[in-house]
Amino acid sequence: MLLADIEDMRAVFGPEVRITIPTINPANLRRYVQEGPDLRIAPMPTVFFASLRRFVKESDLVFLVEGSTYMDTWTSALLWAYLWATHWADEFDKPCAAYAVDAGQIKSGLNRRLVRSQASETDLIITRAAAAAERLRGWGVTAPIEVTADNAFTFVPDACRCRPVRPAVAGGREPGHGLALVDFYLFPWSCAHGPQGGLLQMALLLLLAAAERRASEELADSYAALADHLVTEHGVSVALICMEELDERIARKVHARMACADKARIFSSASTTPPR
């Protein structure tokens, strides 16, 4: 999606447009984004408030491009980062657009109020689903909203560097079937503050209640049963796909619990770099 965003920006503003991408993990981003004179990867601390303010002040245009923008399912910290950038874009009179974003569940009353007030300051919100646009309008967001498909669909990898994925064991000839595994019981995350090295820093603590832990284990058993069913009943091999590095935990659980584990492989975004 990010690579498609970059292509879109250059198509509209010209190849010489200068793009800054803030990130808390520069090393990971450099695996698939090439820095150059007109593209900069800017490290951002987990306590992001001052840095985001500076990034916005230094820029002419602000784009929010994360799919899971208007929701606190994953953590309030991500939502606050997008709203904080929107706030300073409004304060500094900089154009601000949310591009190919989504809107989901917001549990916190405070977060709902923040979305209503801060997202309304956005100059344009482009959602990737009609349902997301309706949620935003239902929350009282008054910014202009358009709907279009996720622009990740427009991304065309370099065919010269793409090879078919063979999830079977070496030498296997079975057709492959992919399962993108997500543990829905890992969230929401909670934010906490604590001292480290004499400094106050933000830590994202994963708090799992006993019921959530049990549900997570049952989910892993169900995934393993499904994967074994695909192997035994349909004669396919299985690719256990980790779209996020965080998904590796449940993928390894599933693989360990499969009776036909020799017919499955784990493919993680932590080690598989998309060709550019």
Side-chain angles (χ1 to χ4, degrees):
M1 181 178 179
L2 179 59
L3 295 176
D5 293 331
I6 294 170
E7 290 180 1
D8 288 351
M9 295 303 106
R10 287 173 170 165
V12 172
F13 298 108
E16 71 283 353
V17 62
R18 298 180 63 184
I19 300 172
T20 297
I21 308 174
T23 176
I24 61 173
N25 193 342
N28 184 64
L29 188 58
R30 289 190 180 97
R31 289 168 48 210
Y32 57 94
V33 172
Q34 184 71 44
E35 285 188 278
D38 300 318
L39 192 149
R40 177 172 69 107
I41 293 175
M44 182 175 68
T46 52
V47 183
F48 51 77
F49 298 101
S51 295
L52 273 181
R53 181 183 184 276
R54 175 170 51 83
F55 290 142
V56 172
K57 188 175 183 179
E58 293 173 349
S59 301
D60 297 314
L61 184 63
V62 176
F63 273 86
L64 312 177
V65 296
E66 165 60 33
S68 304
T69 303
Y70 300 112
M71 59 185 74
D72 59 9
T73 310
W74 316 117
T75 168
S76 293
L78 293 174
L79 175 63
W80 295 342
Y82 309 133
L83 298 180
W84 185 249
T86 305
H87 166 76
W88 283 111
D90 183 64
E91 287 289 310
F92 293 135
D93 199 24
K94 303 293 181 75
C96 178
Y99 188 41
V101 300
D102 212 332
Q105 187 178 48
I106 294 184
K107 296 181 179 180
S108 163
L110 170 62
N111 286 343
R112 282 193 294 272
R113 292 191 296 272
L114 287 173
V115 169
R116 183 169 57 250
S117 62
Q118 299 303 313
S120 294
E121 297 176 349
T122 317
D123 292 287
L124 176 63
I125 298 175
I126 304 173
T127 65
R128 60 186 185 183
E134 290 306 310
R135 290 189 194 101
L136 289 168
R137 294 187 182 107
W139 295 336
V141 175
T142 58
I145 301 176
E146 299 288 342
V147 180
T148 188
D150 192 325
N151 64 330
F153 288 115
T154 68
F155 175 67
V156 180
D158 183 350
C160 297
R161 297 182 56 184
C162 287
R163 291 177 296 177
V165 172
R166 300 288 184 184
V169 293
R173 295 183 178 275
E174 307 91 339
H177 191 97
L179 293 177
L181 306 181
V182 176
D183 188 348
F184 300 99
Y185 301 99
L186 283 177
F187 303 99
W189 288 14
S190 299
C191 290
H193 293 79
Q196 179 174 330
L199 299 175
L200 192 67
Q201 72 168 18
M202 179 178 290
L204 297 179
L205 302 181
L206 191 60
L207 304 178
L208 289 178
E212 292 170 319
R213 287 197 298 270
R214 286 194 299 269
S216 180
E217 295 300 318
E218 292 172 0
L219 181 62
D221 290 338
S222 297
Y223 278 145
L226 174 59
D228 283 330
H229 174 80
L230 291 171
V231 174
T232 58
E233 298 298 322
H234 299 281
V236 301
S237 54
V238 179
L240 304 177
I241 302 169
C242 306
M243 296 181 291
E244 305 282 351
E245 185 175 350
L246 187 65
D247 298 330
E248 278 192 27
R249 186 167 106 165
I250 192 161
R252 297 194 185 284
K253 282 185 181 180
V254 170
H255 191 255
R257 298 176 191 191
M258 286 182 61
C260 304
D262 61 324
K263 295 295 185 180
R265 279 183 57 193
I266 295 174
F267 292 87
S268 174
S269 60
S271 55
T272 304
T273 301
R276 56 172 185 258

